[in-house]
Amino acid sequence: MKVIKNAQEIQRFVLEQKAKGHKIGFVPTMGFLHEGHLSLMREAKRTTDINVVSVFVNPAQFGPNEDFETYPRDFEHDKQLVEAAGMDVLFYPSVEEIYSDQDLIQMTVTKRTNVLCGTSRPGHFDGVVTVLTKLFHLVQPSVAYFGMKDAQQVAVVQGLIDTLKFPIRIQRVQTVRESDGLAKSSRNVRLSTDERQEAPVIYQTLQWGRDLMKQEGLSMSEAEKRVREKLEASLKLGKVDYLTILSYPELEPKETSGEKILATAVFYKNVRLIDNIIISHQED
Ligand code: AMP
């Protein structure tokens, strides 16, 4: 496996591969890799010829009071995992390689961001689309793999691809969970023992909500109220940031016969956890 830190070098590498007729798969990450990231890599290995994983903690998607400096990092361990997953390239640029004070374009997302994490994290998705636009130009993938744990991100990235007409297909990958249902996350290490014990109730409540919505045919807003009350009553240490039901991927509060998302974010002392369930009428 090649480790590439330089922008021109990764571009050269992918152009050579594409000239040989290879399709590039791309798994963008912020590192501190776990089973969730590995599941994206497995999917990439299964579906594309040459696979690139990036590890880049993107300062542009962190707010001024967020955890950019303290975001967990362990490059040597990440490298071992990416190599063991059979990836071809680990792209590991510095912040200076990606951003320059000469940059003169500011990207702003105008839809799908005034809800869910977009409300609590102003500017977050502007930072996400900015870095992904840069990375997509460097890596030029045919397919990019994203986890549904960050379902709003998937919705926004699909909008980025449609808006800028990137010739890239987004492949959604299901959320990988601990055996008790907690969604795997690099930030789970920040939970105290008691918080870690409580946290599986988040997914349990989302499952309860999904069943409620299927059985009782409630309106979205009634269902949302009942699921939020249930989650609030189940949490002793955590505090609900939001619990919302919307159409997916449009993320609008309108009734739909298509997919819906039931999504939540919960604050603990040193970490904010997110999780969601996509509800489609076709399933089970
Ligand atoms: P991150 O390193 O948190 O930016 O995540 C990189 C990619 O891995 C994103 O597409 C995430 O949605 C995905 N990811 C993170 N956690 C999980 C998980 N538990 N299951 C599936 N995908 C995940």
Side-chain angles (χ1 to χ4, degrees):
M1 181 186 73
K2 274 177 184 292
V3 176
I4 298 181
K5 298 185 175 181
N6 175 273
Q8 274 84 41
E9 200 181 326
I10 185 94
Q11 256 177 337
R12 225 178 8 249
F13 173 84
V14 296
L15 287 177
E16 277 165 23
Q17 296 301 322
K18 286 166 83 116
K20 291 183 196 160
H22 291 152
K23 275 170 78 170
I24 310 285
F26 181 37
V27 179
T29 83
M30 298 205 298
F32 211 68
L33 302 176
H34 52 67
E35 265 300 318
H37 301 106
L38 291 179
S39 135
L40 305 190
M41 292 181 219
R42 274 194 289 274
E43 192 55 27
K45 180 107 188 128
R46 208 176 59 74
T47 45
T48 28
D49 308 318
I50 294 288
N51 291 296
V52 178
V53 175
S54 62
V55 169
F56 181 64
V57 185
N58 173 33
Q61 69 189 67
F62 288 78
N65 299 316
E66 293 184 355
D67 56 348
F68 172 69
E69 296 297 342
T70 58
Y71 192 83
R73 293 163 168 90
D74 187 348
F75 178 68
E76 285 308 317
H77 188 235
D78 288 349
K79 189 169 132 191
Q80 284 168 18
L81 291 180
V82 175
E83 181 144 36
M87 300 289 98
D88 300 283
V89 175
L90 173 52
F91 182 46
Y92 181 55
S94 63
V95 171
E96 295 70 35
E97 196 65 24
I98 298 295
Y99 294 106
S100 148
D101 52 14
Q102 302 302 309
D103 284 3
L104 73 168
I105 293 172
Q106 179 76 50
M107 298 182 80
T108 310
V109 186
T110 54
K111 289 192 174 73
R112 305 184 179 181
T113 54
N114 60 345
V115 288
L116 309 180
C117 291
T119 315
S120 348
R121 305 187 70 186
H124 169 70
F125 289 108
D126 297 343
V128 169
V129 298
T130 300
V131 79
L132 284 176
T133 299
K134 287 174 181 258
L135 292 173
F136 287 162
H137 281 304
L138 294 176
V139 178
Q140 301 180 35
S142 302
V143 188
Y145 300 83
F146 287 87
M148 285 305 282
K149 161 148 183 300
D150 300 285
Q152 186 172 18
Q153 174 167 274
V154 173
V156 169
V157 174
Q158 190 60 61
L160 169 71
I161 281 175
D162 296 343
T163 304
L164 297 189
K165 318 267 185 252
F166 277 108
I168 300 174
R169 180 168 69 77
I170 291 293
Q171 188 148 329
R172 298 181 186 181
V173 178
Q174 288 315 308
T175 302
V176 176
R177 300 178 179 282
E178 304 289 352
S179 56
D180 58 13
L182 175 65
K184 295 216 182 213
S185 163
S186 307
R187 291 184 171 106
N188 287 352
V189 293
R190 304 231 184 93
L191 291 166
S192 72
T193 312
D194 290 346
E195 290 172 339
R196 174 66 188 80
Q197 246 181 342
E198 178 179 281
V201 81
I202 300 170
Y203 183 54
Q204 286 157 16
T205 310
L206 293 180
Q207 289 176 302
W208 180 88
R210 174 183 55 194
D211 294 345
L212 180 82
M213 287 166 71
K214 286 198 165 163
Q215 285 161 20
E216 298 196 12
L218 297 176
S219 72
M220 277 163 58
S221 60
E222 281 169 279
E224 182 180 295
K225 182 163 169 288
R226 284 185 48 186
V227 188
R228 187 185 302 119
E229 280 168 5
K230 170 104 174 155
L231 182 58
E232 278 168 353
S234 314
L235 294 171
K236 296 199 170 44
L237 305 169
K239 187 172 172 310
V240 177
D241 177 10
Y242 63 75
L243 185 135
T244 312
I245 301 173
L246 298 166
S247 63
Y248 191 84
E250 302 81 8
L251 304 181
E252 288 168 0
K254 59 160 200 239
E255 295 291 342
T256 168
S257 55
E259 287 183 321
K260 295 186 188 112
I261 183 168
L262 165 57
T264 189
V266 173
F267 284 114
Y268 282 103
K269 185 156 177 281
N270 294 315
V271 62
R272 177 175 164 282
L273 301 183
I274 57 170
D275 204 348
N276 72 81
I277 287 185
I278 301 290
I279 296 154
S280 66
H281 290 293
Q282 286 82 6
E283 100 185 319
D284 19 277

